[in-house]
Amino acid sequence: MPTPQFTEWHTAEHLENEEDIRLYLDACKAYDDPRLMSFAQREAAKARENFSRRE
């Protein structure tokens, strides 16, 4: 069986506005996993940093 190929994925790079962040956080809440929510909140903060750099 061949080894799977994976690519890096940085969620913050794909969240383009506050609506994207809200939808992302809502989707993560559905899993009821505190570790996932912690990760998602860090990604949301990174995305907001990216927004401020674009302005």
Side-chain angles (χ1 to χ4, degrees), residues 16-32:
E16 297 181 359
N17 52 50
E18 286 296 327
E19 177 71 3
D20 287 351
I21 290 174
R22 185 186 65 76
L23 293 170
Y24 172 64
L25 292 174
D26 285 348
C28 290
K29 283 180 194 174
Y31 288 93
D32 196 30

Side-chain angles (χ1 to χ4, degrees), residues 5 16 22 29 38-40 42 45 47 50-52 54:
Q5 297 289 321
E16 297 181 359
R22 185 186 65 76
K29 283 180 194 174
S38 178
F39 175 81
R42 287 192 306 271
N50 291 341
F51 298 164
S52 66
R54 282 189 252 154

